[in-house]
Amino acid sequence: MLTERQRLILNAIVDDYIRSAEPVGSRSISKRGDVGYSPATIRNEMADLEDLGFLEQPHTSAGRIPSHKGYRYYVDHLEPIYQGLPTELRSLRNYFAEKLNASEQVIQHAAMILSHITNYTSILLGPEVFHTSLRHFQLLSLNETTAVAIIVTSTGQVESKTVSVPPGVSVSEMEKVVNLLNSKLVNVPLYKLKTRLYRELGQEMERHLTNFEEMIGILDNIFVDTDTDQRVYLSGATNMLTQPEFKDVEKVKDILDLLEETPTLMKMMAATQGSAGIQVRIGTENDHEAFANCSLITATYSLDGEALGTIGILGPTRMEYARVMSLLGILSKDLTTMLSKLYK
Amino acid sequence: MLTERQRLILNAIVDDYIRSAEPVGSRSISKRGDVGYSPATIRNEMADLEDLGFLEQPHTSAGRIPSHKGYRYYVDHLEPIYQGLPTELRSLRNYFAEKLNASEQVIQHAAMILSHITNYTSILLGPEVFHTSLRHFQLLSLNETTAVAIIVTSTGQVESKTVSVPPGVSVSEMEKVVNLLNSKLVNVPLYKLKTRLYRELGQEMERHLTNFEEMIGILDNIFVDTDTDQRVYLSGATNMLTQPEFKDVEKVKDILDLLEETPTLMKMMAATQGSAGIQVRIGTENDHEAFANCSLITATYSLDGEALGTIGILGPTRMEYARVMSLLGILSKDLTTMLSKLYK
DNA sequence: GTTAGCACTCGACTTAGATGAGTGCTAACC
DNA sequence: GGTTAGCACTCATCTAAGTCGAGTGCTAAC
C-alpha cells in the first residue's frame, strides 16, 4: 500500500512528533540522518501521505502531524525493540520477585512504579475473581445483628462483606451453613457459586435449618456480586498534566474525570481482555469521547492459559508506542511466569 | 480588635470573593444591601484592614482579596448556618441508614457523594484499626509454600495478607498457633497485639512447636503493620480543576500529585484527629507547599468516645467555609450516632 | 526522478493604544 | 468628627496592527 520511502518518511514524522509534540516540517526530516532526501522530495511525499489520510496539517503553513490512521500504521508496522532487559524494568521485576504474593498493596505499588518509569498513567486490572474458585468460606458474628462473611479464593484473594443478621438466626445455624458450604462448594469457580448453592444445597439446607428463608437471604446478600468483582488500580493520573497537548485544563478535566470512574475504567480494560498479546487502542478506538486524544496500550497476564488480569498504560495519542509496548510485553510475560510458579 | 463595621466589611469581602473569585472593589460592597456606606467610606476601612493584615491587594489598582489571616478571622467568627437539614445531605444520610455496615465500597461511595454535593475534593480516613481489637484470626494454606492470614477486628474490618511458608512448617503446627492466638488474644487491641504475642505467648509457643523460629517469622510478617494500617478514600480530585484559581495546569499539578500519595494524605488527615469538632486548616497551615492555596476542613467521627475516622473536604482557600463546615458537622454526628447504634 | 529557488500562507509573538475598574487623596458636607 | 463626592492616577486586560519565521506548493532546472 505504501512505498518503502513513504513508510520511512511516515515513521520519521511519527517519531519526531512523539518526541517534540510539534508539527513536523520537511526540512527537519531531511536533516535527520535516516532519510536521505531533500526537503522538496519529502514535501512531495508528505502531500501524498496527506492525501492518503496518514498525515494531517493543523493549518496551511504548518508542518504535518500523524492522523489516527497514521498512528495505526506506525504501530502495526513497529519493529520490536529492547532485545535485552531494559534497566528501567529491573526495579519492577525485582519487586515482584521479592513479594510474589499479589496482595493489594503490591499491585498498587506496581502501578506506581509503572507510571513512574513510563511517565504515563498506569491502569492495572487486578486478578479476576471470575475464574478463580472458592478456597474457604467463613461467617463470623460480630454482635446479635451483624456478621462478617469472608471468602478466600484459590489465588489467595480475600473478599469480605458485612451483613446484618435477622433476629431468630442462631450462631449454631450459621455454623451449620458454613460447614455445609465448605464441605460441598470448595473448588467451585466463583461464578458458578450462586447457581450451585441453590441447585445442589437448597434441599439439604431446608432439611437442616429452622430459619431457611432468612439464611438464604443472608447468603444472597453475600454472593450478590462475587461473580463480577474485580479491582482496578490507577497510578500517575497526573502525568497527563505534563503532556503539552493537555496544557489546557479544559482538555484534561474530562480525561481525569473518566479516570476517577472505576466502573468505566474496568469496562474499558476488560474489553481488551479477550484477545491475548499486546493491544493498542488509538484515539477514538477507545469508545469514550474524553479519550479521543489518548491511546491505551494493554497486555494481559494469565494463569494456566486463563486471562487473570490486565496491565494498561494510558497516554496521549502521541505516545512512545515502541517503548511502552515492549515494557508491557516483558512485564506481562514475567507476571505470567511468576504466577504459574506460585500456584503450580 | 476589629470594629463592628470592619467586621461587617471584611465579612462582605470574603463572601463576595468566595462567590466570584475576583478581587472585590469598594463599589460592589457598597451596592450589596447589607453594608450601608458609600464606596469612599468602605475604601477607608479597606485600607485600614489591609494595614492590619486582613486583606491583600494583587496590584495597586485592583480590588482587595482576603489574606490567610482574613480567612482565619472569617472562619473563627462564622455563624452556624443550616438550622434545618439541608436537602443536599438527605441522599447521603439515607444511604448510610440503608447500609449501616461500613464496608469499603460504602465508604468509597460516600466519598463520591460528598465530593459531588460540595463540588470540592473529599478525603475520608477509614475507621482506624489502631483502637479496635482482635475478633478472630485465621491462617489458611493455599499450597505448600503459601498461606493467607486473615484478621477480623471487632468493628468487622477484615485485613488479609499473603505470606510464604518456609518448608518444614506443617499445617498442624499452623493450626496450633491459630488456636492459641484465638484463645488468648481475642479482644486485645491491635496495637498491643505484637507485644502481647511475644511477652505472653512466647514461652508457650516455644514449648508446643517444633519450628518455633520459622513460625515467629511468619507471624512477624503478618503483624508487621497492623498497628498503623488505615485507609484513605479520595473522591472528586478533579473538582480542583474547575476552580478558576487553578486554571493554570502548573498550579494544580502539585496538588493532584500530592493527592495521589496516600501516605501523605493519611498523615495530613491523621494530624487533625486529636482534637474533636470541626477543624479548619487554611493555606499554609497545611504543612505542604502544594496546599498553600488550599484549605482543608475536617471532622472526626467516633465510637465510644474514641476517634474512629475523619471526614475531610479540600478546596481552594476561597472555599465555602460556612456550608462545608455545617455539612461535615451534621455528617460526623450522624456517623457517630449510627456507629454507636450498630456496635452498642 | 530529484532538487533548488521563490512566492505565499498563516500562526505566534510584539508593540502601542484604548478601556475601565478601582484606588488614594482632598475638600466639602452634615 | 465622621461621611461622602469628586478627581487624578494606576494598571491589568483587551484589541489592532505590524513583524517574524517556519513551512508549504509550485515551477523550472539538473
Side-chain angles (χ1 to χ4, degrees):
Chain A
M1 181 169 177
L2 291 188
T3 68
E4 178 58 21
R5 189 164 77 182
Q6 282 173 327
R7 209 192 56 71
L8 200 66
I9 291 174
L10 177 59
N11 231 31
I13 292 173
V14 177
D15 267 348
D16 256 34
Y17 186 65
I18 284 175
R19 212 176 12 78
S20 70
E22 305 270 306
V24 182
S26 53
R27 218 172 91 87
S28 59
I29 292 297
S30 174
K31 274 198 289 191
R32 293 169 44 123
D34 55 346
V35 187
Y37 296 96
S38 77
T41 309
I42 293 170
R43 274 207 290 284
N44 290 332
E45 294 288 20
M46 278 162 102
D48 289 351
L49 283 169
E50 187 175 350
D51 288 343
L52 292 168
F54 292 97
L55 295 178
E56 281 170 4
Q57 220 173 358
H59 58 89
T60 324
S61 70
R64 304 300 209 291
I65 62 174
S67 67
H68 288 179
K69 189 175 170 189
Y71 281 125
R72 174 47 68 196
Y73 187 91
Y74 172 83
V75 167
D76 289 344
H77 293 76
L78 210 50
E79 281 155 36
I81 60 169
Y82 286 152
Q83 272 72 21
L85 177 69
T87 47
E88 16 183 24
L89 249 191
R90 207 156 283 159
S91 60
L92 193 53
R93 183 176 260 197
N94 288 342
Y95 182 69
F96 276 122
E98 228 172 75
K99 330 196 150 198
L100 272 171
N101 39 12
S103 86
E104 242 179 68
Q105 281 162 24
V106 176
I107 303 183
Q108 183 63 60
H109 194 181
M112 208 196 73
I113 297 181
L114 205 53
S115 70
H116 264 103
I117 63 182
T118 58
N119 279 317
Y120 296 119
T121 303
S122 70
I123 309 171
L124 300 202
L125 195 58
E128 190 171 10
V129 177
F130 198 79
H131 289 112
T132 61
S133 51
L134 184 69
R135 166 69 183 79
H136 185 80
F137 175 73
Q138 188 153 25
L139 205 53
L140 271 176
S141 75
L142 292 174
N143 54 36
E144 300 86 48
T145 58
T146 333
V148 192
I150 300 171
I151 298 171
V152 185
T153 73
S154 53
T155 52
Q157 287 174 90
V158 178
E159 301 284 330
S160 69
K161 193 155 195 176
T162 321
V163 289
S164 59
V165 180
V169 175
S170 68
V171 173
S172 68
E173 289 222 301
M174 293 205 296
E175 271 171 15
K176 268 187 207 163
V177 174
V178 170
N179 288 335
L180 199 59
L181 287 179
N182 274 321
S183 63
K184 301 278 182 179
L185 293 185
V186 160
N187 290 331
V188 169
L190 287 199
Y191 68 101
K192 286 189 192 158
L193 213 52
K194 239 182 356 186
T195 45
R196 291 280 290 267
L197 177 67
Y198 297 133
R199 270 198 214 144
E200 300 176 21
L201 298 183
Q203 294 184 342
E204 196 162 349
M205 274 165 61
E206 203 161 3
R207 227 179 306 134
H208 287 79
L209 297 177
T210 48
N211 291 70
F212 175 67
E213 289 296 333
E214 282 85 352
M215 208 60 225
I216 281 290
I218 297 177
L219 290 177
D220 245 2
N221 219 329
I222 295 170
F223 294 119
V224 65
D225 45 24
T226 39
D227 46 3
T228 56
D229 198 16
Q230 206 172 6
R231 299 251 167 84
V232 270
Y233 304 86
L234 182 72
S235 183
T238 54
N239 281 342
M240 282 292 171
L241 296 173
T242 62
Q243 304 296 342
E245 46 262 84
F246 299 134
K247 73 166 192 290
D248 186 3
V249 170
E250 291 305 311
K251 287 174 194 148
V252 230
K253 175 83 168 64
D254 291 340
I255 298 174
L256 294 187
D257 273 350
L258 205 55
L259 288 180
E260 264 199 5
E261 273 179 44
T262 10
T264 316
L265 269 195
M266 248 172 59
K267 262 180 232 147
M268 213 171 60
M269 294 288 287
T272 69
Q273 208 156 33
S275 38
I278 293 168
Q279 299 277 315
V280 183
R281 319 191 115 216
I282 298 168
T284 45
E285 291 171 18
N286 301 294
D287 301 322
H288 285 277
E289 207 176 326
F291 286 169
N293 296 306
C294 296
S295 284
L296 176 67
I297 304 180
T298 54
T300 299
Y301 57 92
S302 50
L303 179 59
D304 292 336
E306 290 272 23
L308 259 193
T310 309
I311 324 169
I313 300 286
L314 184 77
T317 38
R318 178 193 62 78
M319 76 188 282
E320 302 163 88
Y321 294 97
R323 184 164 149 255
V324 172
M325 285 168 75
S326 301
L327 277 173
L328 288 194
I330 296 173
L331 192 58
S332 63
K333 265 190 212 135
D334 268 23
L335 268 181
T336 302
T337 321
M338 285 183 191
L339 284 174
S340 72
K341 258 189 218 155
L342 187 58
Y343 305 107
K344 58 198 157 190
Chain B
M1 181 169 176
L2 292 188
T3 67
E4 179 57 22
R5 190 165 75 183
Q6 283 172 326
R7 208 191 57 69
L8 199 67
I9 290 174
L10 177 59
N11 232 31
I13 291 174
V14 177
D15 267 349
D16 256 34
Y17 185 65
I18 284 175
R19 211 175 15 78
S20 69
E22 304 270 304
V24 182
S26 54
R27 218 171 92 87
S28 61
I29 292 298
S30 174
K31 273 198 290 193
R32 293 169 45 122
D34 55 347
V35 187
Y37 296 97
S38 76
T41 310
I42 292 171
R43 274 207 292 282
N44 291 331
E45 294 288 20
M46 278 162 102
D48 290 350
L49 283 170
E50 187 175 350
D51 289 342
L52 290 169
F54 291 96
L55 295 180
E56 282 171 1
Q57 219 172 357
H59 59 88
T60 325
S61 71
R64 304 300 209 291
I65 63 174
S67 66
H68 288 178
K69 190 176 171 188
Y71 280 124
R72 176 47 68 195
Y73 187 91
Y74 172 85
V75 167
D76 289 344
H77 294 75
L78 209 51
E79 280 155 38
I81 59 169
Y82 285 151
Q83 272 74 20
L85 177 69
T87 47
E88 15 183 24
L89 249 192
R90 206 156 285 158
S91 60
L92 194 52
R93 186 177 259 197
N94 288 343
Y95 182 68
F96 276 122
E98 229 173 73
K99 331 196 148 199
L100 273 170
N101 39 14
S103 87
E104 240 178 70
Q105 280 161 25
V106 175
I107 302 183
Q108 184 62 61
H109 194 181
M112 207 197 72
I113 297 180
L114 206 53
S115 70
H116 264 103
I117 63 182
T118 58
N119 279 317
Y120 296 119
T121 303
S122 71
I123 310 172
L124 299 203
L125 195 58
E128 191 172 9
V129 177
F130 198 77
H131 289 113
T132 60
S133 50
L134 185 69
R135 166 71 183 79
H136 185 79
F137 176 73
Q138 188 155 23
L139 206 53
L140 270 177
S141 75
L142 292 175
N143 53 37
E144 301 84 49
T145 58
T146 332
V148 191
I150 300 171
I151 298 172
V152 185
T153 73
S154 53
T155 53
Q157 287 174 87
V158 178
E159 301 285 329
S160 69
K161 194 157 194 174
T162 321
V163 289
S164 58
V165 180
V169 175
S170 68
V171 174
S172 69
E173 289 222 301
M174 294 205 296
E175 269 172 15
K176 268 188 207 162
V177 174
V178 170
N179 288 335
L180 200 60
L181 287 180
N182 274 321
S183 64
K184 302 277 183 180
L185 293 184
V186 161
N187 291 331
V188 170
L190 287 198
Y191 67 102
K192 286 188 191 158
L193 214 52
K194 235 176 6 181
T195 45
R196 289 280 291 268
L197 177 68
Y198 296 133
R199 271 200 214 139
E200 300 174 21
L201 297 184
Q203 292 183 345
E204 197 161 349
M205 273 166 59
E206 202 159 4
R207 228 177 307 135
H208 287 79
L209 297 177
T210 48
N211 291 71
F212 175 67
E213 289 297 333
E214 282 84 353
M215 207 60 225
I216 281 291
I218 297 176
L219 291 178
D220 245 2
N221 220 328
I222 296 170
F223 294 119
V224 64
D225 46 22
T226 40
D227 45 2
T228 55
D229 198 15
Q230 206 172 4
R231 299 251 168 83
V232 271
Y233 304 86
L234 181 73
S235 183
T238 53
N239 281 342
M240 281 294 171
L241 295 172
T242 61
Q243 304 297 342
E245 44 263 84
F246 299 134
K247 72 166 191 290
D248 186 3
V249 169
E250 293 303 313
K251 286 173 195 149
V252 231
K253 176 83 167 68
D254 292 341
I255 297 174
L256 294 187
D257 273 350
L258 204 54
L259 288 180
E260 265 200 4
E261 276 178 41
T262 6
T264 316
L265 269 195
M266 247 173 58
K267 264 181 227 145
M268 212 171 61
M269 293 288 286
T272 69
Q273 205 156 37
S275 37
I278 293 168
Q279 300 276 316
V280 183
R281 320 191 114 216
I282 298 168
T284 46
E285 291 170 19
N286 301 295
D287 301 322
H288 285 277
E289 208 174 327
F291 285 170
N293 296 307
C294 296
S295 284
L296 177 67
I297 304 181
T298 55
T300 300
Y301 58 91
S302 51
L303 180 59
D304 294 335
E306 292 272 24
L308 259 194
T310 310
I311 323 169
I313 300 285
L314 184 77
T317 40
R318 178 193 64 78
M319 76 188 282
E320 301 164 272
Y321 294 98
R323 184 164 150 256
V324 173
M325 285 168 74
S326 301
L327 277 173
L328 287 194
I330 296 172
L331 192 58
S332 63
K333 266 190 210 135
D334 269 21
L335 267 181
T336 303
T337 322
M338 286 183 191
L339 284 174
S340 72
K341 259 188 219 156
L342 187 58
Y343 304 107
K344 59 198 158 191

